[in-house]
Amino acid sequence: MAQIAVLDELKANRKGRELPGGHMAWRTDFIARKKEDPDGPVAFLAESSPKRVLRTHYHECDQFQIIALGGGTLAKHTLAFGGIHFSRAYTPYGPITNGDQGIGFITLRAKRDPAGGAMFIPEKAETLKSVKNRTPWQVTEMPTFKALAGGESSSVVQFKEMQDDRGLAGYAVTVSANTKVAAPAPTQVGQYIIVTKGSLLTQGQEKKGMAVIWVGGDETPFELHAGAEGLEVVVLNFPREELTPSKSVTAKANGEFKAWQCVLCAVVYDEAAGMPEHGIPPGTRWADVPENFGCPDCDAKKSDFELIEF
Ligand code: FE
């Protein structure tokens, strides 16, 4: 049976704690760890105050994070409201620097993090490198909802970047008012559905505002039943968990140009392509990349990149 948690019904559970430097963090559990299923799904809203910096770290499980409040930056990327970040187990990401409004992420895991919490870089870098056959990879995507044409009852837009050969997928689904449609089926690991707009009719009640739904891998597709204002949801399918040799290298041998890869998070610097979005033009040789270059995804140093042998 799917588990449904509605933010407005959980506000009393918001717990705050003080952080060094005068910052604050708050946690609101949507789907808390259960005694009878201690390794089962976990979902919570993690908020923290403006300008706080959360250092680069990794977890020992796959996870999605959706930005539900405020915004900021993740290493060299902008984090904007509604954006979704996926990181495979053993993939460092960060630092996350909160903007002027602070930031709130909903963290979504199909199982409890075996490590129990964040593994920070550089302290845990050697531990990370000793993990055999890890396949680090992360991706950020901003969902696009397709407006319904006259007479259309629903639309589904699959995420472009957030997909892999293990079943990882995301969908932005729009449902017209007072209409029922089946959500895309979960993978065998399971699925989260996040209600971002409108209302959901379920178990004889109308649920309004942000909600999180866990659909287990052995369940049938969830019924999306839109209320009077219609419904927008994001559907996030977890990939199968596999530790197999990395297929995440996207660069190809390209004449005389070479490619270098971050040993921590697997980002590739391809000399032919450069990183124009980070101020490095195409064709820039690794030797000419500034020494203060940092990995765009995990903030590793230039010296943490290794030459890829094709
Ligand atoms: Fe990196």
Side-chain angles (χ1 to χ4, degrees), residues 257 269-275 279-290:
F257 289 110
Y269 177 81
D270 181 335
E271 291 179 335
M275 276 194 186
I280 303 175
T284 305
R285 299 292 187 178
W286 185 245
D288 299 323
V289 169

Side-chain angles (χ1 to χ4, degrees), residues 3 11 14 36 43 54 89 98 112 119 126 138 140 145 153 155 169 173 226 232 274 284 305:
Q3 298 180 52
K11 286 194 167 151
R14 187 174 185 253
E36 65 274 19
L54 175 59
N98 297 359
R112 184 177 70 100
M119 303 281 274
E126 292 310 311
Q138 59 187 302
T140 304
F145 293 89
S153 59
S155 68
V173 182
E232 283 185 4
T284 305
F305 280 67

